[in-house]
Amino acid sequence: MINKHQKIEAVVREHHGRLVAALASRFSDLSLAEDALQDAVVEALANWSFEDWPTNPPAWLMTVASRKAIDRLRRQLLHQTKIDQLELDAECDQPVEKSCEDIPDHRLQLIFACCHPAIAEKNRTALILKVICGLSTEQIAKAWLVSETTMAQRLVRAKNKISKAGIPFSIPEISQLSKRLTGVLEVIYLIFNAGYQTSDSASLVDIDLCDEAIYLGKLVMSLLPDQMEATGLVALMLFHHSRVNARTTAEGDLVLMENQDRSLWNHEKIALADKLLKGALMKGGLGPYQVQAAISAVHCQAATFEDTDWRQILLLYHHLELYQPGPVVQLNLAVALSFAEDPTKGIYYLDHLPELRKLTQYHPYYVARADMLRRIGDPLAAAEQLRMAISCTDNKIEVEHLRQQLNALDSENS
Amino acid sequence: MQYLLMIYSEEGSGPEPGSPEFGDYMQAYFSFTQEMKERGLFLAGEPLEEVSTASTVRVRNNQTAVTDGPFAETKEVLGGYYLLDCNGLDEALECAAKIPTAAHGSIEVRPIMKLPDMPK
């Protein structure tokens, strides 16, 4: 049985992005929007009861928050000048929102402001989680493994930048839209990946960044239905997320895709991702997220690891390389080549990468090489590569997993 | 909103004065300034004399100290500025990218702080 407090919290969380965006847009001030919404929540806690619940909670919050914002502005003005008083009085006569649909939807504008390239990258992720997803500073700090004070400072800094530097609350003009959308999608994918990497220690964190990222992706997708890369990103995240239960054991050890119990994959998510991806590919406007989603789709379609259509994956990686040239995609291409044709070809391809030195601190490079060497039948060289991999990562779960592989190889070697 | 666009580059990193490239460079500056004026964004803009002409002033304990040169030793020095009245940061950034020196130096874009009106 949830109490009143929790019920109000749930309402606020659900409508947070829409309310803050509408308030920020009306008053051109993000901090004021957040403070005013907080004031309205305090009022709701004092006034709402299960017997006397507002017919439309978000509309109630919007009306009260607008009033609170004007109160705050008025108090600020008393310290400055009184000339704008009349203008504010006029604003008090604004219409009262009767339903959620009456609240203007400025979420997309706010998302573009939060992901503006003039804001430091790590502050973009924090800000969007705070204002659109409605997470608390404490929750975001925990998810990013920094202190609450540090996170609070980052958020203040980002909001300050928006207001003082004049970052607009607007949808970029058409000539800029695609580039700026790429920036938004990057922020969302960063959040997803942060969640995906920490999902093993999820018990420590009470929020799932993967869910938040998927929520944000779906929101952008619904607000920009003609931008197929947004749809592609949602599909990609759903494909990855469908495997989350199979990628670790009950003890928290990593399980490679090769050894995963595919019945643990979430087939509902896979079906939804498939549907989204197919729809996007039919519409045109191909981009790197759709190609990556297509690669994930091929993996998810295979009933067993041995059934994987590696030729198809190889083709898709060649395609992805056009969008994302560089050693990381080429490393994946080499792996696909090693399965589609044979491991010696994969190693040959890796040895001839022009930017090979960029991979020398990247542990997946050594892991991939070790696997190819093992399959060729050179366990000694493979073990050497695994040792290199271990020296390149701090992730405890990763190191534990690599040690197990190394032990298996060493017992083969002895 | 008003923005100060500060033009930084390493001295001597731009085209050599007298070379044909220098003529194009100056022409590009002229066109940029013209565009800012036509768009109604231009408030002010001037190049600065070379950094060796700079003096720095500090007042400590009521004593004024003047030193030769800029505040900090850096490779990139302030070479000129534009003061523009733009409709938000996106427009200011768009203009900054058009400043010819952006191609080899960098442009720092800073909003002008709005001081509250003083009581009359």
Side-chain angles (χ1 to χ4, degrees):
Chain A
M1 175 77 194
I2 62 164
N3 63 31
K4 183 179 93 174
H5 197 108
Q6 288 164 324
K7 196 172 167 186
I8 292 176
E9 228 169 53
V11 169
V12 177
R13 184 73 204 281
E14 185 186 345
H15 300 283
H16 195 275
R18 186 148 184 165
L19 290 166
V20 170
L23 290 162
S25 180
R26 181 177 291 176
F27 297 100
S28 305
D29 185 337
L30 182 52
S31 299
L32 178 68
E34 282 194 294
D35 291 342
L37 179 58
Q38 210 44 53
D39 292 346
V41 173
V42 171
E43 195 113 317
L45 286 168
N47 289 304
W48 295 7
S49 64
F50 282 118
E51 300 75 39
D52 188 18
W53 202 254
T55 38
N56 194 304
W60 190 100
L61 287 168
M62 182 68 196
T63 305
V64 173
S66 297
R67 215 179 293 139
K68 296 285 182 188
I70 290 167
D71 285 348
R72 278 175 175 268
L73 279 176
R74 194 168 281 148
R75 260 177 279 144
Q76 274 175 25
L77 280 176
L78 281 179
H79 295 289
Q80 296 174 10
T81 68
K82 291 189 169 122
I83 41 163
D84 291 332
Q85 189 78 39
L86 286 172
E87 282 174 39
L88 277 181
D89 283 341
E91 269 202 57
C92 268
D93 297 329
Q94 62 196 291
V96 171
E97 285 78 8
K98 289 187 189 65
S99 74
C100 192
E101 283 68 47
D102 290 342
I103 304 173
D105 193 349
H106 292 295
R107 283 175 297 183
L108 193 56
Q109 287 87 332
L110 185 56
I111 289 171
F112 274 113
C114 291
C115 299
H116 198 282
I119 299 174
E121 192 178 73
K122 62 184 180 196
N123 298 354
R124 286 178 225 158
T125 47
L127 192 58
I128 200 170
L129 287 169
K130 180 81 169 26
V131 300
I132 300 290
C133 300
L135 298 186
S136 70
T137 305
E138 188 194 350
Q139 286 172 318
I140 303 168
K142 269 190 190 162
W144 248 267
L145 307 173
V146 298
S147 75
E148 204 179 327
T149 326
T150 306
M151 188 49 78
Q153 282 165 349
R154 276 190 205 170
L155 287 164
V156 168
R157 216 184 130 97
K159 279 184 265 184
N160 212 19
K161 178 91 192 231
I162 289 182
S163 67
K164 292 216 170 121
I167 289 177
F169 289 111
S170 61
I171 297 164
E173 51 181 289
I174 202 81
S175 65
Q176 292 288 313
L177 185 62
S178 158
K179 197 175 156 204
R180 290 286 308 281
L181 177 64
T182 305
V184 170
L185 300 180
E186 258 169 37
V187 167
I188 296 174
Y189 199 37
L190 265 175
I191 294 172
F192 182 83
N193 281 321
Y196 206 61
Q197 272 149 31
T198 55
S199 61
D200 320 295
S201 53
S203 51
L204 299 174
V205 180
D206 62 345
I207 50 150
D208 184 349
L209 288 180
C210 293
D211 287 337
E212 300 300 332
I214 291 170
Y215 165 80
L216 285 168
K218 283 181 175 169
L219 181 60
V220 173
M221 179 178 96
S222 70
L223 296 169
L224 286 170
D226 294 330
Q227 297 292 328
M228 289 306 116
E229 274 293 87
T231 312
L233 174 61
V234 174
L236 174 62
M237 294 190 292
L238 286 169
F239 278 129
H240 281 324
H241 209 220
S242 72
R243 298 195 291 258
V244 78
N245 289 332
R247 68 192 280 273
T248 47
T249 63
E251 290 76 39
D253 295 330
L254 272 187
V255 184
L256 292 180
M257 182 131 69
E258 192 174 344
N259 305 321
Q260 283 175 11
D261 174 356
R262 296 187 175 216
S263 69
L264 293 177
W265 290 1
N266 184 326
H267 293 276
E268 223 171 281
K269 279 196 180 127
I270 293 174
L272 175 58
D274 253 327
K275 195 173 143 219
L276 289 172
L277 178 62
K278 283 194 181 114
L281 294 175
M282 298 234 291
K283 270 191 123 172
L286 194 63
Y289 287 117
Q290 291 167 76
V291 177
Q292 290 175 83
I295 292 169
S296 272
V298 177
H299 281 299
C300 288
Q301 277 157 8
T304 64
F305 184 75
E306 289 68 32
D307 290 339
T308 310
D309 184 350
W310 286 104
R311 292 202 168 271
Q312 180 77 10
I313 290 177
L314 182 60
L315 269 175
L316 288 164
Y317 271 119
H318 276 299
H319 210 97
L320 185 60
E321 203 196 351
L322 300 178
Y323 294 108
Q324 299 178 343
V328 172
V329 169
Q330 287 162 342
L331 173 62
N332 284 297
L333 202 155
V335 172
L337 181 65
S338 79
F339 283 109
E341 297 184 13
D342 74 79
T344 44
K345 286 198 178 155
I347 289 176
Y348 182 87
Y349 179 85
L350 281 179
D351 284 340
H352 291 83
L353 281 185
E355 293 180 295
L356 185 62
R357 61 186 169 77
K358 285 195 182 160
L359 294 174
T360 52
Q361 290 300 315
Y362 187 61
H363 78 272
Y365 164 68
Y366 298 105
V367 175
R369 242 189 132 88
D371 188 56
M372 291 179 211
L373 287 163
R374 189 186 52 79
R375 282 188 280 139
I376 290 171
D378 190 350
L380 273 174
E384 188 46 41
Q385 295 296 314
L386 281 179
R387 283 189 194 95
M388 292 294 289
I390 291 169
S391 71
C392 290
T393 175
D394 303 326
N395 184 318
K396 277 188 189 148
I397 297 166
E398 198 78 47
V399 169
E400 180 51 34
H401 174 73
L402 291 171
R403 280 199 197 291
Q404 284 174 13
Q405 282 193 315
L406 188 58
N407 288 341
L409 268 182
D410 282 343
S411 56
E412 250 177 75
N413 285 333
S414 57
Chain B
M1 265 185 87
Q2 292 183 10
Y3 294 88
L4 186 66
L5 277 53
M6 289 170 276
I7 303 162
Y8 285 90
S9 62
E10 270 183 60
E11 280 193 320
S13 65
E16 189 79 20
S19 66
E21 293 78 26
F22 190 74
D24 294 345
Y25 188 58
M26 286 297 111
Q27 186 55 42
Y29 259 104
F30 179 76
S31 313
F32 173 74
T33 307
Q34 198 55 34
E35 185 192 333
M36 293 301 104
K37 286 180 177 165
E38 277 162 16
R39 284 166 62 175
L41 308 177
F42 185 88
L43 294 172
E46 302 288 349
L48 302 181
E49 284 292 353
E50 62 208 78
V51 74
S52 62
T53 63
S55 310
T56 301
V57 176
R58 290 180 188 80
V59 180
R60 301 284 183 276
N61 305 321
N62 287 324
Q63 299 288 314
T64 301
V66 180
T67 46
D68 185 18
F71 168 66
E73 284 294 327
T74 48
K75 273 189 168 177
E76 292 209 324
V77 299
L78 185 64
Y81 74 94
Y82 281 92
L83 180 64
L84 302 181
D85 190 8
C86 294
N87 183 26
L89 184 65
D90 282 350
E91 190 170 38
L93 296 177
E94 180 245 314
C95 295
K98 284 186 176 167
I99 295 180
T101 304
H104 63 267
S106 56
I107 315 296
E108 182 175 334
V109 179
R110 289 274 284 274
I112 299 291
M113 189 196 269
K114 260 197 278 179
L115 292 172
D117 293 335
M118 291 298 151
K120 298 198 172 86

